[in-house]
Amino acid sequence: EAQVTQNPRYLITVTGKKLTVTCSQNMNHEYMSWYRQDPGLGLRQIYYSMNVEVTDKGDVPEGYKVSRKEKRNFPLILESPSPNQTSLYFCASALSAGNNEQFFGPGTRLTVL
Amino acid sequence: AQRVTQPEKLLSVFKGAPVELKCNYSYSGSPELFWYVQYSRQRLQLLLRHISRESIKGFTADLNKGETSFHLKKPFAQEEDSAMYYCALSPTGGYQKVTFGTGTKLQVIP
């Protein structure tokens, strides 16, 4: 089944403990992106990647890192999580950065204590 | 800077009534506009995009460059339309940086 998967789906952690949220797609999509969803703020783009080894900042990149070493994977790294990074995170992919439909993952609910 | 505004957090309509979800944008260039929908316990999914000019599930949206709007409309609301709706903008020619609105929750009352 063509899809975007994220792991873990739920995570509770403590301030300062490095964590990685994985994102994988099996559709051979070039474009991948991370968003965070917060009440009243909608979805805000954190980072996006146009292709392997090509990444760029979205609107709220502070406190996050990404890498795109393989086409199918786009992990989100929080080197030193803080409580203001408590949020619902979505990964998405699209065939290319050319007005194609974005396919979203199921979301990862992160709580930083 | 690109910006998308959805002024209504919640829109309640009766079944069979017309629906209009408002979306206004700010962008200096030529934008691509999208509507995404998130049904309860489901993933966010594309509803429609202005370049395709399709009608999906009875919904339509017209890009009005003069008013910088991309309102989503449906003549007769159905209960299954109840969901969260997001308007989104990206620069012409590619997704690149994508900006979403804050979303409008549509509640269709039986």
Side-chain angles (χ1 to χ4, degrees):
Chain A
E1 180 188 357
Q3 61 180 340
V4 179
T5 56
Q6 295 178 227
N7 282 292
R9 295 288 313 280
Y10 303 90
L11 179 61
I12 300 174
T13 189
V14 295
T15 299
K17 187 176 181 181
K18 180 179 179 179
L19 67 91
T20 299
V21 183
T22 65
C23 173
S24 183
Q25 50 91 7
N26 60 2
M27 295 172 280
N28 201 36
H29 284 174
E30 288 184 351
Y31 180 93
M32 297 186 76
S33 182
W34 276 103
Y35 300 89
R36 59 179 288 175
Q37 184 181 42
D38 301 289
L41 297 176
L43 277 84
R44 293 179 293 168
Q45 193 174 39
I46 303 171
Y47 270 95
Y48 62 93
S49 170
M50 306 274 274
N51 213 325
V52 175
E53 302 292 3
V54 181
T55 62
D56 210 342
K57 296 176 180 178
D59 287 321
V60 289
E62 295 78 19
Y64 304 94
K65 285 176 56 177
V66 292
S67 69
R68 188 91 181 274
K69 293 185 170 58
E70 308 166 276
K71 201 170 189 178
R72 63 183 294 127
N73 296 322
F74 191 45
L76 179 69
I77 303 157
L78 284 71
E79 294 271 4
S80 183
S82 61
N84 64 13
Q85 293 178 297
T86 293
S87 188
L88 180 59
Y89 291 87
F90 288 100
C91 180
S93 72
L95 186 60
S96 69
N99 303 326
N100 287 296
E101 175 181 357
Q102 286 195 78
F103 293 84
F104 283 81
T108 294
R109 187 166 292 282
L110 172 65
T111 301
V112 183
L113 301 174
Chain B
Q2 55 196 62
R3 181 179 296 171
V4 175
T5 302
Q6 293 181 250
E8 302 137 330
K9 287 188 177 180
L10 173 66
L11 181 65
S12 297
V13 301
F14 285 101
K15 179 181 173 181
V19 175
E20 183 178 49
L21 299 168
K22 291 184 167 51
C23 172
N24 288 92
Y25 67 89
S26 173
Y27 181 63
S28 57
S30 183
E32 300 293 351
L33 276 299
F34 309 83
W35 276 100
Y36 281 83
V37 60
Q38 189 173 29
Y39 300 103
S40 180
R41 301 181 187 279
Q42 293 188 28
R43 303 182 184 205
L44 204 68
Q45 57 188 287
L46 180 69
L47 180 63
L48 56 80
R49 49 192 152 183
H50 91 275
I51 57 170
S52 63
R53 305 184 71 80
E54 292 177 296
S55 172
I56 306 294
K57 298 185 179 183
F59 284 97
T60 59
D62 290 317
L63 178 59
N64 186 324
K65 292 187 177 181
E67 296 182 358
T68 59
S69 68
F70 188 58
H71 303 328
L72 184 68
K73 299 177 182 179
K74 184 171 183 177
F76 308 103
Q78 303 297 316
E79 288 181 66
E80 56 266 29
D81 296 329
S82 294
M84 196 75 183
Y85 292 79
Y86 291 96
C87 183
L89 175 154
S90 72
T92 297
Y95 268 105
Q96 301 164 46
K97 190 172 179 179
V98 183
T99 299
F100 280 78
T102 52
T104 297
K105 184 175 182 179
L106 175 64
Q107 183 181 52
V108 180
I109 304 165

